[in-house]
Amino acid sequence: MKQLQEIINQSKNIVFFGGAGVSTESGIPDFRSVDGLYHQKYDEPPETILSHTYYVRKPEAFFRFYKDKILFFDKKPNAAHLKLAELEAAGKLKAVVTQNIDGLHQAAGSKNVFELHGSILRNYCEKCGKFHSARFMYEAAGIPTCECGGRVKPDVVLYEEGLDAGIMQGAIRAIAGADTLIIGGTSLVVYPAAGLIDYFNGKNLVLINKEVTARDTHADLVIQGKIGEILSQIEVG
Ligand code: NAD
């Protein structure tokens, strides 16, 4: 913890790269922890249900799963989200790059957020383009349908879909320019997102995760534990 505090004190351009583990302390399950989605029983694995093919072929089943397990719109930011926003407000942290789709970084006050996989808070009619809220999606019975009759699609990147080129470029630029990269709450197995950390060329690579990750040996500092509990102990100078 002392080393983390010193690194943060010395850094002028911190970038945070995170995943589902950042939001578990807000009550949103991740995918790969023991109590995560992959260890719960469904007829098909989550990667299959959350794929573009499945969305097109079996929309009723897709939206049943989506509403039950993905669409959390009543959750609050936790200590990790809040500390990252505080670091940004203090001018120390320049960007958050997240694989999460829950919007909790912005809810905590973060401004420069690159959402690699989109957001459950944005939903568009596939026919007329009209915007619909997360509450609309939650309250819709069956397949969410616009007044015009079109199907409403969440602006989240499904398996088989490509990532937004502009967001990728912005994230790469932020990571490549950082003096410190803090990676937290991600298993680092989902590509191409996880590959972005290879653009880091700065001084301090910090990894905070509950479990061991494949990148632990590359890091200057590894802290194993809950990211909210860990970041809440940081003092912003
Ligand atoms: P993952 O489920 O593969 O890995 C989560 C990692 O976080 C695990 O290694 C786990 O040990 C760790 N973790 C869990 N709670 C933690 C905590 N409190 N503190 C520190 N570490 C903790 O998640 P991923 O790597 O982000 O990849 C999964 C994909 O699923 C992503 O693409 C993401 O878009 C999506 N997803 C998003 C959300 C969300 O928006 N909140 C939730 C689930 C999945």
Side-chain angles (χ1 to χ4, degrees):
M1 278 311 302
K2 193 163 165 259
Q3 217 179 321
L4 178 60
Q5 183 70 60
E6 276 165 17
I7 288 174
I8 289 175
N9 289 350
Q10 288 159 12
S11 303
K12 293 188 173 69
N13 188 341
I14 302 169
V15 169
F16 179 81
F17 179 90
V22 175
S23 293
T24 53
E25 287 163 84
S26 292
I28 301 178
D30 64 10
F31 278 3
R32 287 174 190 80
S33 288
V34 280
D35 51 354
L37 279 187
Y38 283 10
H39 296 269
Q40 300 176 19
K41 289 271 170 282
Y42 297 102
D43 294 343
E44 283 141 310
E47 292 104 321
T48 304
I49 303 175
L50 294 173
S51 69
H52 185 81
T53 305
Y54 199 92
Y55 170 78
V56 172
R57 293 200 185 142
K58 297 185 181 174
E60 289 92 354
F62 171 90
F63 279 110
R64 208 178 311 126
F65 181 86
Y66 180 78
K67 276 195 258 182
D68 190 26
K69 298 292 173 194
I70 305 292
L71 182 57
F72 290 95
F73 69 96
D74 55 350
K75 300 294 183 191
K76 301 272 179 293
N78 63 50
H81 300 105
L82 294 168
K83 188 62 69 174
L84 293 168
E86 199 184 333
L87 284 164
E88 182 182 0
K92 285 211 155 267
L93 184 138
K94 302 299 179 194
V96 168
V97 179
T98 183
Q99 301 165 80
N100 292 348
I101 54 178
D102 53 35
L104 290 184
H105 285 293
Q106 292 92 332
S110 286
K111 302 279 182 259
N112 197 24
V113 183
F114 295 99
E115 293 178 309
L116 299 172
H117 294 158
S119 174
I120 57 163
L121 302 179
R122 297 186 298 264
N123 306 281
Y124 297 98
C125 171
E126 290 180 319
K127 201 167 155 200
C128 74
K130 185 180 170 188
F131 169 85
H132 293 273
S133 67
R135 178 172 291 279
F136 172 88
M137 300 300 276
Y138 187 74
E139 287 174 352
I143 301 169
T145 306
C146 184
E147 297 89 320
C148 77
R151 181 163 63 187
V152 182
K153 186 177 189 292
D155 188 12
V156 301
V157 179
L158 301 176
Y159 288 96
E160 306 163 350
E161 292 180 345
L163 274 61
D164 181 277
I167 292 173
M168 282 290 272
Q169 272 170 20
I172 289 170
R173 210 173 298 129
I175 291 170
D179 56 9
T180 293
L181 180 66
I182 303 176
I183 300 171
T186 171
S187 58
L188 292 172
V189 299
V190 177
Y191 280 79
L196 289 185
I197 63 175
D198 293 330
Y199 288 92
F200 178 63
N201 196 23
K203 202 160 165 249
N204 309 295
L205 182 61
V206 179
L207 227 151
I208 305 170
N209 211 65
K210 247 174 36 180
E211 298 159 2
V212 173
T213 77
R215 298 300 189 108
D216 284 11
T217 49
H218 295 65
D220 300 294
L221 174 65
V222 177
I223 304 181
Q224 243 180 55
K226 290 188 173 180
I227 192 160
E229 288 177 7
I230 290 159
L231 288 185
S232 66
Q233 296 172 52
I234 292 299
E235 285 176 23
V236 181

